[in-house]
Amino acid sequence: MRIARFSIDGNVAFGVVEGDAGSSDGLVLDIIKGHPFAEFERSGKRVPLDKVRLLPPVLPNKVVAIGRNYAEHAAEMGGEVPEAPVAFFKPSTSVIGPGDPIVYPSFSREVHHEAELAVVIGRMCSQVPRERVADVILGYTCANDVTARDVQRTESQWARAKGFDSSCPLGPWVVTDVDPADLAVMCTVNGEQRQLGRTGQMVRSVEDLVVHITEAMTLLPGDVILTGTPAGVGPINVGDEVAVTIEGIGTLTNKVIKRG
């Protein structure tokens, strides 16, 4: 099931996306009653997808991101896979949706794309045992962990480098029935392939990450975990169109603009 969050006529709602998963043509939204973090009913009221504005599929209280979770990416960054997962936060104000602009930060001269699988939490959870991880996950979406790389190099904390406004595109929707174990993850810039990896290359699996994170903190419905990026990260510039495609989920596209 694909669940989208959208705006129409000034109202925000969730809907189930219906239509050919391999094409954006003819897709429609069956508006749901309530929200997807509990049992819900479809209203039967349908609206064409091209008549609405897609929003970030969730508004997370927090985004917990994991660094260097692919060995080849760790190597290209000049390091090895860390002994324990490296976690950092991206604030809720960094989140944007499909089609929203990535605003190039004024304090950076080197901004990079990082295509990632994002885990969307479906229920409040803490101290989750491995065998219960699937029970706390609503589904998965595409993410771009946009990074001011020059700032990341010079500041020991990554709050500004990773947390600036518009640095966390998410979307286009949440897919609830995909197996995250071995999905293709691709990033293109202006149609040119930059990254291509598989989630099966992750050093630590989705289960590993949920267990590790919830040992320390409570996750809330709508919270997001970014699982790391494969090799091939590189610069994006004003005017570029960046697309993250994940097998079985869809494509998240954003254009880079200059701060006004």
Side-chain angles (χ1 to χ4, degrees):
M1 181 183 297
R2 294 168 291 174
I3 301 174
R5 181 171 165 268
F6 63 95
S7 173
I8 184 171
D9 298 329
N11 297 310
V12 175
F14 289 94
V16 176
V17 182
E18 299 177 339
D20 182 1
S23 171
S24 59
D25 296 332
L27 295 180
V28 298
L29 288 161
D30 187 345
I31 299 174
I32 69 174
K33 299 177 181 178
H35 58 75
F37 302 108
E39 291 188 12
F40 62 84
E41 296 180 3
R42 303 191 190 196
S43 69
K45 181 179 180 181
R46 292 175 169 82
V47 58
L49 188 69
D50 60 9
K51 300 297 183 183
V52 309
R53 177 192 172 199
L54 285 180
L55 302 173
V58 289
L59 283 180
N61 174 271
K62 55 187 170 291
V63 177
V64 186
I66 302 298
R68 301 189 179 189
N69 198 29
Y70 288 75
E72 289 186 1
H73 172 60
E76 75 178 350
M77 297 303 294
E80 298 181 352
V81 174
E83 292 185 7
V86 174
F88 57 93
F89 291 110
K90 294 174 83 81
S92 59
T93 48
S94 69
V95 174
I96 59 173
D100 291 339
I102 298 168
V103 182
Y104 205 105
S106 59
F107 56 85
S108 175
R109 295 295 179 268
E110 185 185 358
V111 175
H112 284 195
H113 58 79
E114 294 192 8
E116 309 204 7
L117 175 72
V119 182
V120 179
I121 298 300
R123 55 183 290 187
M124 185 170 69
C125 58
S126 177
Q127 303 287 325
V128 180
R130 182 173 299 274
E131 63 272 15
R132 296 295 303 276
V133 166
D135 296 340
V136 306
I137 294 174
L138 175 66
Y140 303 87
T141 192
C142 305
N144 189 351
D145 176 20
V146 183
T147 302
R149 192 70 72 200
D150 51 350
V151 178
Q152 185 185 25
R153 293 191 194 102
T154 58
E155 298 183 3
S156 59
Q157 296 293 320
W158 296 352
R160 293 206 314 155
K162 295 277 195 176
F164 60 88
D165 291 351
S166 77
S167 66
C168 189
L170 297 175
W173 39 62
V174 176
V175 177
T176 63
D177 53 0
V178 67
D179 183 347
D182 191 32
L183 303 175
V185 179
M186 180 174 67
C187 179
T188 64
V189 178
N190 302 324
E192 176 187 352
Q193 181 180 301
R194 294 280 190 85
Q195 291 180 269
L196 181 62
R198 302 195 68 87
T199 56
Q201 298 169 323
M202 291 195 300
V203 176
R204 293 161 180 106
S205 67
V206 168
E207 290 81 7
D208 294 333
L209 297 179
V210 171
V211 169
H212 180 77
I213 292 166
T214 61
E215 283 177 343
M217 69 189 74
T218 298
L219 296 177
L220 303 177
D223 280 352
V224 169
I225 298 172
L226 304 188
T227 58
T229 193
V233 301
I236 53 177
N237 298 292
V238 172
D240 285 346
E241 184 175 82
V242 188
V244 175
T245 300
I246 299 182
E247 180 182 3
I249 297 176
T251 299
L252 166 68
T253 303
N254 304 89
K255 192 168 183 177
V256 185
I257 68 170
K258 182 179 180 180
R259 181 173 296 278

